[in-house]
Amino acid sequence: MTALDLSSPVAVVGTGTMGQGIAQVALVAGHPVRLYDAAPGRAEAAAEAIGARLDRLVAKDRLSGADRDAARARLHPAAVLTDLADCTLVVEAVLEQLDAKQQLFSDLEDIVGDDCLLATNTSSLSVTAIGGALRNPGRLVGLHFFNPAPLLPLVEVVSGFATDVTSATRAYEMARAWGKTPVACADTPGFIVNRIARPFYAEAFAVHEAQAADPATIDAVLRESGGFRMGAFELTDLIGQDVNESVTHSVWRSFFQDVRFTPSLAQRRLVESGRLGRKTGHGWYDYGDEAEAAEPHTAEKAPPPAYVVAEGDLGPAADLLDLIREAGIPVRAEEEDHGTRLVLPSGGQLVLADGQTSVEFRDVVYFDLALDYRKATRIALSASQDTAALTLSEAIGLFQALGKDVSVIGDCPGMIVARTVARIVDLAHEAVAKGVATEEDIDTAMRLGVNYPLGPFEWSRRLGTNWSYDVLDELHVRDPSGRYAPSLALYRHAYATEKREGTP
């Protein structure tokens, strides 16, 4: 089954921001497009708004004047729903209310032809439940575009329980013909992106709620060490705290209040207070005209250690040894069976975040995971009240000598980047094991849908197959609520790898 012929009319029902964006994508691809909205005058207003956006594309040399004129000629507001009778695809982008969507598709089923593909752009409702009201639910598929639809390439093509394979294939090929990057997904709460992205927000909020670090510091570490485009606090301020929290609640409820998806009380207080982010002028940050930009905690200058002793393999942080040597600090290597750490002249130890806490040991400073230790511009350190001041000073001075800003946070197991990445990797493995999507589609979805620097499986391969499991296992010991319990899928992945490598 191939994509729809460009002469085939496409309809979009619902003319808000998302509906207009989807209509523009179909229009620029070459389809005749019908716009329908139940509110009088909204379809006409949407057509004018789309026309204005096409004008801006011409002004930016992204669209020719002739193509703009041809597209405008193909765009038609529909006065009544029956005007969509000859369409071969109808995409709905109405309110996220199950009964409203079910009623719309039931009405459409009596209007359009039997070969018309029906698609919902829902981001939080079950495609299966929406299709449950249809006589032929097999022709309903989820087409989850990301906002703004004309700019963002990803489309999640969601198959409900009753969706026909031919319908899903038609939708997939159509999205690709429209210049998008489609990924195939089973009908599961949050689909791919909104399911697997939950820890990115949840762990940042948890670190803040534990008083381990402030939002500006956590955001800076996620950006400058983790390689994420934006930190969790600034991103949710941009999305809108109410919108982000609503998605979190939807996924949490849909998974029968699974503790791994528990919403944040701190975010709830923001929403209750009306501090919804940029759109209200205040969220985690203040966006008022007189407000000063929040700055991350950055440690004062400290002298570097005279040398370090490397014991064992530093694993994901192995590149640090070359950086330390390049900074002119001698590295003494010692083979030790019991450690993967750096020993400082004070006798204190510097250890990559592993899910344990500094207070459990005599004199340990933890450092956080980085996407690329050479390119990272900031490193987070974690110490307890019992950590020797000299050990912490040497650790700060070491990373400063490597050209990094240093943020010291509280004694937080898994720190910031490490716990976040470990949980994302775990949810991704579980999703594959449960048939939600393939590894390749999950990696594509997370890179394109939320601009992650690596897909979860790319992270997993880079970090080592056991790394995420080990971090979460240690976190679970310290927080046995189940939030950090590694999934069976991740356990099987780690155990199978050990057997293949001959580990007894």
Side-chain angles (χ1 to χ4, degrees):
M1 184 68 67
T2 59
L4 303 179
D5 187 276
L6 289 181
S7 64
S8 303
V10 170
V12 177
V13 179
T15 57
T17 301
M18 184 57 77
Q20 290 182 32
I22 296 170
Q24 181 180 329
V25 171
L27 195 64
V28 171
H31 289 276
V33 174
R34 312 261 174 83
L35 289 172
Y36 175 79
D37 199 291
R42 287 199 62 177
E44 290 79 6
E48 289 296 321
I50 293 170
R53 284 201 290 272
L54 295 178
D55 289 340
R56 290 195 289 273
L57 291 177
V58 172
K60 295 177 180 178
D61 291 326
R62 296 178 182 173
L63 188 70
S64 71
D67 286 342
R68 184 259 328 266
D69 295 341
R72 278 184 161 179
R74 295 193 301 271
L75 181 61
H76 302 286
V80 292
L81 204 59
T82 52
D83 289 345
L84 313 183
D86 63 338
C87 290
T88 54
L89 168 67
V90 180
V91 183
E92 71 80 14
V94 302
L95 293 174
E96 286 287 271
Q97 296 175 358
L98 179 60
D99 56 350
K101 293 180 187 290
Q102 288 178 327
Q103 184 61 58
L104 170 64
F105 283 118
S106 293
D107 293 342
L108 284 169
E109 203 170 25
D110 294 330
I111 295 170
V112 300
D114 292 340
D115 62 343
C116 178
L117 183 64
L118 302 178
T120 172
N121 184 59
T122 185
S123 61
S124 61
L125 299 177
S126 164
V127 174
T128 302
I130 295 171
L134 298 180
R135 293 189 302 274
N136 177 18
R139 63 168 163 171
L140 178 74
V141 65
L143 276 180
H144 182 214
F145 289 78
F146 288 74
N147 193 30
L151 296 181
L152 294 186
L154 184 69
V155 177
E156 292 177 318
V157 181
V158 186
S159 293
F161 184 78
T163 301
D164 292 335
V165 172
T166 53
S167 297
T169 303
R170 287 176 70 196
Y172 187 96
E173 294 300 331
M174 180 213 66
R176 187 156 59 182
W178 288 3
K180 297 300 181 181
T181 303
V183 292
C185 175
D187 185 21
T188 184
F191 309 142
I192 298 175
V193 172
N194 281 331
R195 173 178 178 158
I196 295 175
R198 296 345 294 161
F200 179 74
Y201 312 107
E203 294 312 307
F205 299 162
V207 172
H208 173 54
E209 289 175 340
Q211 302 293 298
D214 61 275
T217 299
I218 297 169
D219 277 353
V221 172
L222 285 169
R223 289 193 313 270
E224 300 174 41
S225 183
F228 293 95
R229 184 76 59 87
M230 298 179 73
F233 297 91
E234 58 186 337
L235 180 55
T236 53
D237 268 357
L238 179 63
I239 295 169
Q241 298 303 329
D242 52 339
V243 174
N244 181 261
E245 188 200 37
S246 176
V247 174
T248 299
H249 270 271
S250 175
V251 173
W252 176 61
R253 288 192 301 268
S254 297
F255 277 111
F256 308 105
Q257 300 185 4
D258 187 328
V259 68
R260 295 176 301 167
F261 301 103
T262 301
S264 162
L265 181 59
Q267 187 179 43
R268 176 90 291 262
R269 293 293 178 256
L270 273 186
V271 174
E272 289 174 338
S273 67
R275 294 185 171 187
L276 306 182
R278 288 183 177 274
K279 62 187 177 183
T280 61
H282 206 303
W284 296 109
Y285 300 112
D286 185 352
Y287 299 95
D289 293 337
E290 304 300 321
E292 296 183 4
E295 296 293 332
H297 166 77
T298 303
E300 297 292 332
K301 189 69 176 175
Y307 63 89
V308 296
V309 178
E311 294 186 350
D313 178 11
L314 293 184
D319 287 348
L320 280 177
L321 297 181
D322 286 338
L323 294 178
I324 293 170
R325 293 187 182 98
E326 291 167 16
I329 299 173
V331 176
R332 304 174 185 174
E334 291 186 7
E335 293 296 331
E336 293 284 345
D337 293 333
H338 60 272
T340 55
R341 60 197 178 188
L342 295 173
V343 180
L344 300 164
S346 63
Q349 301 171 32
L350 192 55
V351 181
L352 175 62
D354 59 7
Q356 302 184 78
T357 60
S358 293
V359 76
E360 300 171 53
F361 304 98
R362 184 183 63 81
D363 201 10
V364 166
V365 173
Y366 279 103
F367 65 95
D368 208 351
L369 179 68
L371 172 67
D372 184 328
Y373 283 98
R374 185 173 292 278
K375 295 180 180 178
T377 58
R378 182 178 298 273
I379 294 294
L381 301 180
S382 174
S384 76
Q385 66 273 18
D386 296 328
T387 304
L390 178 57
T391 296
L392 181 58
S393 176
E394 287 179 335
I396 292 171
L398 174 63
F399 282 103
Q400 288 175 338
L402 307 186
K404 319 297 183 186
D405 288 327
V406 175
S407 293
V408 179
I409 69 172
D411 190 13
C412 183
M415 301 191 67
I416 298 170
V417 180
R419 70 197 294 176
T420 299
V421 170
R423 287 206 58 212
I424 289 170
V425 168
D426 182 46
L427 290 184
H429 276 279
E430 183 185 55
V432 170
K434 293 189 173 182
V436 174
T438 65
E439 292 185 8
E440 294 76 14
D441 276 356
I442 288 175
D443 276 354
T444 297
M446 301 313 291
R447 287 196 313 269
L448 299 184
V450 278
N451 288 312
Y452 283 6
L454 294 175
F457 293 96
E458 292 173 315
W459 270 113
S460 185
R461 288 189 290 272
R462 176 180 289 200
L463 296 171
T465 50
N466 296 350
W467 184 87
S468 293
Y469 177 85
D470 291 343
V471 169
L472 292 177
D473 196 40
E474 294 289 359
L475 279 164
H476 179 54
V477 170
R478 287 148 188 83
D479 178 358
S481 65
R483 179 187 181 103
Y484 301 103
S487 68
L488 180 59
L490 190 64
Y491 172 78
R492 284 174 170 159
H493 174 71
Y495 183 71
T497 301
E498 286 185 354
K499 290 185 70 175
R500 285 195 301 270
E501 293 175 352
T503 303

